[in-house]
Amino acid sequence: MKLETTTISTEKLKGRFYTPEFIVDNILDLSGYHGQTILRKHAIDNSCGDGAFLVAIVNRYCIEFLKYCSDLQSLSEELSNYIHGIEIEEIEHRKCIENLNRTVEQYGLNYVKWDVICADALSVDKYNGKMDFVLGNPPYVRVHNLGNSFDNIKKFSFSKNGMTDLYIVFYEIGLKMLNLSGTLGYITPSSFFNSLAGKYMRSYLVQNNLIDKIVDLKHFQAFTATTYTTITILKNNRKIKTTEYFQFENKNNFPYYVDTLSVDDYYIGNNFYFADRKSLNELNTILSFRVKKDYFAVKNGFATLADSFFIGNFDFDEFTIPVVKASTGKKYKCIFPYSQGKLVPYQELTEELKIKEYYENCKGLLLNRSLERNGDWYGFGRTQGINDVYRCKYSINALIKTPFDLKLIKCDKGVGVYSGLYILTEAKETELREMLFSEDFISYVSLLGKYKNGGYYTFSSKELKNYLEYKYVQRKGFINGQYAIS
């Protein structure tokens, strides 16, 4: 029952955030852990923390057992045999046992020999192939925070794409624990929908027809961490080839059904996207759209890796240009030590004493950067955006919620762009504005599922280009065979 925050803290290092009771109940219901069918079925939380899931599981088990049998000794034995847990930390493990004991006291039980072990789930295999239910909230920790545990990560297939999140490995751990007809129900970050780290996992889930239900919590924050989550229900030996898609109703803390989807609906370009089928069909059309001639190029602005040095108000003009901060639309002055796309020799750059003093005073800052290969200490950290300075373009921010959040700024030749994207095109400005300042664009961006704090969404240069090409061709029509859809 753990989730990561975005700051270095105990939560980040250990991945612990406690699961709200309503989330636990939703996962158990969606997984089918209810009614008398749960009796004598093995259930485990393999990162159980202080026991939020196990307490709910035990409560449900006791209620169903006592509906037809009052033998408390038999109930104690069944709880010992069928309820399981793993927790790596001793303090949390002890809390879990205490919480479970308090729970069964309500039903007249004085003692249960709990099969809740204090161990690292990465190294536990005794439950493999035996569980009817794997339920919980796995730890969310980036592997670079795992220290000595990193070596254990390497043996898992779901981590083969390099830098990954621990919760992705816990999907593999959970699936290994399931028996041939078992069900897994997790709440985790939704980043595996489109992250590089989740690529192999996505492919595996699709190839093995495992995805039974998806509940996208979107911007709803179930935890104190700013983390965007999904409830995922996986099942072995599924006969149907569709997935039920739900969204979360935060007023009632309950998932509501949206649509039943095929793999072709939601598995687009090796990523997962979830919405109703009509919206996904349109999204698929845009993301897979190709033209014989490109009408738009969308690129990332400057990456100086030292904006505080290169951008500001200077008391010299030589080797400076106007620059637009795409994220805000504001204009500044930028040191630009380039000529025809190449870095000016340092001696030439610093002929003016004021420039030389400015550089020499900040040399330590500039040296302490991760420079692009062959980059020199006095230039930008990356070369992106440099060659297009003397072309007309439009800067645009990539963090929006409504059309009113868009900042599209026309930049004349000689103006740079940083902190966002820019568009190169021969299309008219009025056409650009009509395509972008629209509910269609907001709908498209929301379907991409890249959630940000405050109800905002973000998008990549490639995703913006695809949208613009599609909408532009749609506006112009298919003329003289110039356009083609892949």
Side-chain angles (χ1 to χ4, degrees):
M1 294 167 306
K2 306 169 178 114
L3 215 64
E4 180 194 29
T5 125
T6 54
T7 58
I8 296 296
S9 59
T10 300
E11 288 78 11
K12 180 152 189 171
L13 295 175
K14 299 180 180 178
R16 182 184 305 113
F17 270 84
Y18 299 102
T19 314
E21 186 176 341
F22 66 88
I23 292 291
V24 175
D25 286 336
N26 282 324
I27 291 175
L28 267 56
D29 290 342
L30 290 162
S31 301
Y33 196 84
H34 53 76
Q36 292 208 347
T37 58
I38 70 174
L39 297 178
R40 297 190 177 180
K41 295 290 176 66
H42 292 279
I44 189 170
D45 181 352
N46 53 32
S47 56
C48 62
D50 69 351
F53 275 89
L54 290 181
V55 164
I57 288 167
V58 166
N59 260 319
R60 292 190 181 201
Y61 200 102
C62 290
I63 290 169
E64 295 302 328
F65 181 94
L66 293 170
K67 282 181 180 178
Y68 77 94
C69 181
S70 59
D71 184 350
L72 294 183
Q73 179 61 34
S74 294
L75 174 57
S76 175
E77 291 174 359
E78 290 197 13
L79 292 174
S80 297
N81 290 331
Y82 293 103
I83 309 302
H84 316 275
I86 305 173
E87 172 52 39
I88 192 170
E89 292 190 43
E90 291 183 11
I91 294 175
E92 293 299 300
H93 174 259
R94 186 165 60 250
K95 287 181 184 177
C96 179
I97 299 296
E98 291 170 357
N99 288 334
L100 291 175
N101 286 336
R102 279 195 292 269
T103 299
V104 296
E105 285 175 2
Q106 304 172 68
Y107 303 99
L109 287 174
N110 296 319
Y111 176 76
V112 174
K113 186 180 179 181
W114 296 109
D115 182 31
V116 179
I117 63 174
C118 186
D120 184 350
L122 296 172
S123 303
V124 175
D125 58 12
K126 72 174 188 175
Y127 300 107
N128 287 1
K130 299 176 182 177
M131 296 297 105
D132 297 285
F133 295 93
V134 176
L135 305 162
N137 175 6
Y140 174 31
V141 185
R142 294 303 300 272
V143 293
H144 61 256
N145 290 319
L146 288 175
N148 295 332
S149 298
F150 179 64
D151 288 340
N152 288 334
I153 295 291
K154 296 177 183 177
K155 65 185 180 182
F156 291 95
S157 297
F158 285 8
S159 66
K160 65 166 49 180
N161 287 328
M163 188 63 70
T164 191
D165 294 300
L166 187 57
Y167 81 87
I168 289 178
V169 172
F170 266 77
Y171 272 103
E172 184 171 346
I173 291 170
L175 287 171
K176 285 182 177 180
M177 289 180 172
L178 292 181
N179 60 29
L180 293 178
S181 59
T183 299
L184 179 151
Y186 279 169
I187 181 168
T188 68
S190 57
S191 57
F192 77 87
F193 287 175
N194 50 38
S195 68
L196 178 62
K199 183 177 180 180
Y200 180 83
M201 174 180 157
R202 292 191 296 273
S203 175
Y204 183 90
L205 297 182
V206 166
Q207 290 176 15
N208 291 279
N209 188 34
L210 291 170
I211 308 177
D212 191 62
K213 300 180 183 73
I214 290 287
V215 182
D216 192 352
L217 277 71
K218 295 195 169 187
H219 283 105
F220 177 72
Q221 296 292 303
F223 303 90
T224 55
T226 304
T227 304
Y228 305 98
T229 52
T230 181
I231 294 171
T232 304
I233 310 298
L234 307 178
K235 283 189 178 182
N236 277 337
N237 197 28
R238 293 198 322 137
K239 304 303 180 186
I240 60 172
K241 302 240 181 213
T242 55
T243 296
E244 292 184 354
Y245 172 60
F246 300 77
Q247 290 180 5
F248 202 74
E249 173 54 66
N250 56 9
K251 291 181 180 178
N252 300 313
N253 292 332
F254 195 77
Y256 66 91
Y257 170 80
V258 176
D259 213 337
T260 299
L261 308 172
S262 70
V263 170
D264 290 339
D265 290 326
Y266 65 81
Y267 192 41
I268 304 171
N270 296 321
N271 289 333
F272 287 167
Y273 302 92
F274 291 100
D276 62 90
R277 278 176 294 172
K278 182 179 178 182
S279 297
L280 288 174
N281 182 58
E282 173 113 358
L283 178 66
N284 193 0
T285 300
I286 295 173
L287 292 178
S288 60
F289 188 74
R290 299 293 181 272
V291 289
K292 292 180 179 178
K293 174 186 175 182
D294 287 333
Y295 290 92
F296 299 88
V298 183
K299 302 182 182 182
N300 290 290
F302 295 158
T304 71
L305 305 190
D307 287 352
S308 62
F309 172 85
F310 285 100
I311 296 164
N313 296 311
F314 310 108
D315 58 357
F316 51 86
D317 294 321
E318 195 171 0
F319 292 108
T320 66
I321 60 171
V323 68
V324 173
K325 187 174 185 179
S327 59
T328 63
K330 294 182 178 179
K331 298 178 181 179
Y332 299 95
K333 201 173 181 180
C334 176
I335 296 174
F336 190 68
Y338 297 90
S339 177
Q340 297 181 340
K342 295 182 180 180
L343 197 58
V344 173
Y346 186 67
Q347 186 174 356
E348 180 183 341
L349 174 67
T350 57
E351 283 181 358
E352 185 176 328
L353 183 59
K354 288 182 179 180
I355 299 177
K356 184 174 183 178
E357 288 177 347
Y358 186 68
Y359 261 98
E360 293 299 324
N361 288 336
C362 300
K363 189 171 182 178
L365 168 68
L366 299 179
L367 285 170
N368 193 30
R369 294 178 295 165
S370 176
L371 296 174
E372 202 166 51
R373 181 179 291 183
N374 300 323
D376 211 328
W377 71 272
Y378 63 94
F380 292 175
R382 303 286 182 268
T383 57
Q384 63 191 47
I386 290 171
N387 290 328
D388 292 324
V389 165
Y390 294 98
R391 299 178 65 184
C392 291
K393 55 198 158 292
Y394 297 88
S395 69
I396 185 170
N397 56 315
L399 186 67
I400 60 173
K401 186 195 301 189
T402 72
F404 301 105
D405 299 312
L406 271 172
K407 300 170 183 68
L408 186 70
I409 308 295
K410 186 175 182 179
C411 303
D412 294 327
K413 295 178 181 179
V415 177
V417 176
Y418 81 107
S419 185
L421 306 175
Y422 64 90
I423 303 166
L424 297 168
T425 183
E426 294 180 2
K428 297 176 182 177
E429 183 176 354
T430 54
E431 293 175 314
L432 258 184
R433 290 187 174 278
E434 287 174 8
M435 289 187 288
L436 293 172
F437 288 81
S438 66
E439 290 300 330
D440 278 356
F441 183 58
I442 299 300
S443 176
Y444 167 73
V445 170
S446 68
L447 287 171
L448 296 174
K450 296 181 176 180
Y451 308 118
K452 293 295 179 181
N453 198 23
Y456 285 83
Y457 303 93
T458 188
F459 50 88
S460 69
S461 56
K462 182 179 179 182
E463 289 159 347
L464 177 56
K465 173 181 165 56
N466 271 78
Y467 175 84
L468 290 171
E469 298 284 12
Y470 176 74
K471 287 296 181 180
Y472 190 71
V473 169
Q474 200 177 50
R475 290 169 62 90
K476 296 295 183 181
F478 292 80
I479 304 170
N480 299 327
Q482 292 180 354
Y483 312 103
I485 302 177
S486 64

